[in-house]
Amino acid sequence: MEMPQQMPPVALTIAGSDPSGGAGIQADLKTFHQFGVYGEAVITLLTVQNSVRLSRIQLIDPALVLEQLEAVLEDIPPGAAKTGALGSAEMVSAMARAAERFAFPLVVDPILAGKHGAALLPGSAVRALRDELIPRAALVTPNVPEAEALSGMAIRVVDDMRRAACRFFEMGARAVLIKGGHLEGPPTDILFDGAQWREFPAARVNTRQTHGTGCTYSAAITAGLARGASLARAVADAKRFIHEAIRTSPGLGRASGPVNHHAQPASGPSASEPCGEIS
């Protein structure tokens, strides 16, 4: 008699395609696999890019994106999902409407530009992201430039990150993780869930091999949530994974190459401090 197999956890990425494999849905699916999670992908846009250039972006009709999403949800619904590059205000609004029905946590990675500096979301769509999609997010994961654009404030030090995090919470996000890699010094990330602050420090790795770090980081968090981890545990595990993936990057490409998606996930404790200590 054949024994039934245990169903694996499932995670979904709703994002753009990177043919060079370092970012977008390709990075997300590799990361899901590394965390032992079955990955699904709804494609929002196509790019022509590699480690040196991003020369073309082709948006997919939001109606077709929603059809992809419906096909996934009606048959193999995920335990958690993430959004990446969405490309237009229309796509952001479509995802926000769809997210109203999600019975699983949504991680919003608010990608505004690629590693090469090309815009992946026009300025006219930032308001839709802030007003429509972020309020649907279980977690939003901006880097410092994205947090500045969405919060409307300058971020120079960790205390600025905390103030910006409070603004994201006021926008309606249930939690926010602001990544500190663009600031001077060790890259410390700040997680705020409306009640607790947690800091996730790491040593800075001196490398230009950082293509797809934001996609990979948010995908690792999504994988953790799909596996049933708490938000703090999912972020802690993802932080360790992305640090190791950057540290051991394979050196592919002639410019900003990909991180190591074969890095091994690990776990460990995280630190916290009360909200009231913001100065």
Side-chain angles (χ1 to χ4, degrees):
M1 179 178 174
E2 186 174 323
M3 297 296 291
Q5 293 185 338
Q6 184 177 1
M7 298 291 286
V10 177
L12 167 65
T13 173
I14 306 167
S17 171
D18 171 10
S20 70
I25 60 165
Q26 288 84 351
D28 293 344
L29 291 174
K30 292 173 189 177
T31 303
F32 291 165
H33 181 83
Q34 200 66 3
F35 275 78
V37 173
Y38 178 83
E40 302 176 310
V42 168
I43 302 175
T44 58
L45 56 86
L46 304 175
T47 67
V48 175
Q49 67 173 303
N50 54 30
S51 72
V52 178
R53 63 182 173 90
L54 194 164
S55 56
R56 183 175 177 183
I57 300 169
Q58 180 67 53
L59 304 183
I60 295 177
D61 188 329
L64 178 54
V65 174
L66 291 176
E67 285 187 44
Q68 295 178 68
L69 179 60
E70 186 60 34
V72 168
L73 298 183
E74 74 180 19
D75 188 38
I76 310 176
K82 62 157 285 188
T83 59
L86 296 177
S88 70
E90 292 77 14
M91 191 77 75
V92 171
S93 296
M95 283 302 107
R97 291 192 301 273
E100 293 179 5
R101 301 183 291 114
F102 288 175
F104 45 83
L106 176 65
V107 176
V108 172
D109 187 10
I111 298 174
L112 304 184
K115 185 65 65 178
H116 314 292
L120 290 170
L121 191 73
S124 59
V126 170
R127 181 171 181 177
L129 185 61
R130 183 175 57 237
D131 295 347
E132 299 177 42
L133 188 58
I134 286 176
R136 308 295 180 196
L139 175 70
V140 58
T141 62
N143 59 29
V144 166
E146 291 161 350
E148 289 182 325
L150 289 162
S151 70
M153 62 172 290
I155 300 174
R156 299 292 180 265
V157 295
V158 170
D159 276 351
D160 294 337
M161 293 170 66
R162 294 186 178 206
R163 294 186 180 93
C166 287
R167 293 197 181 183
F168 279 93
F169 189 72
E170 292 166 0
M171 292 176 203
R174 295 197 292 279
V176 57
L177 176 73
I178 299 185
K179 299 168 291 188
H182 286 80
L183 299 184
E184 295 294 328
T188 296
D189 304 337
I190 301 294
L191 175 66
F192 180 49
D193 64 4
Q196 281 190 306
W197 293 94
R198 290 180 171 86
E199 292 190 5
F200 299 89
R204 186 173 293 278
V205 179
N206 184 21
T207 180
R208 65 178 182 176
Q209 306 299 309
T210 57
H211 182 54
T213 51
C215 302
T216 301
Y217 194 177
S218 59
I221 296 169
T222 305
L225 295 176
R227 291 169 58 97
S230 68
L231 178 59
R233 170 54 55 207
V235 173
D237 290 350
K239 175 70 173 183
R240 289 176 175 83
F241 176 75
I242 190 59
H243 176 76
E244 185 65 10
I246 294 171
R247 189 186 70 82
T248 61
S249 58
L252 298 171
R254 292 183 287 117
S256 179
V259 301
N260 176 22
H261 291 103
H262 292 104
Q264 292 300 312
S267 61
S270 59
S272 64
E273 64 177 289
C275 174
E277 294 188 13
I278 299 179
S279 58

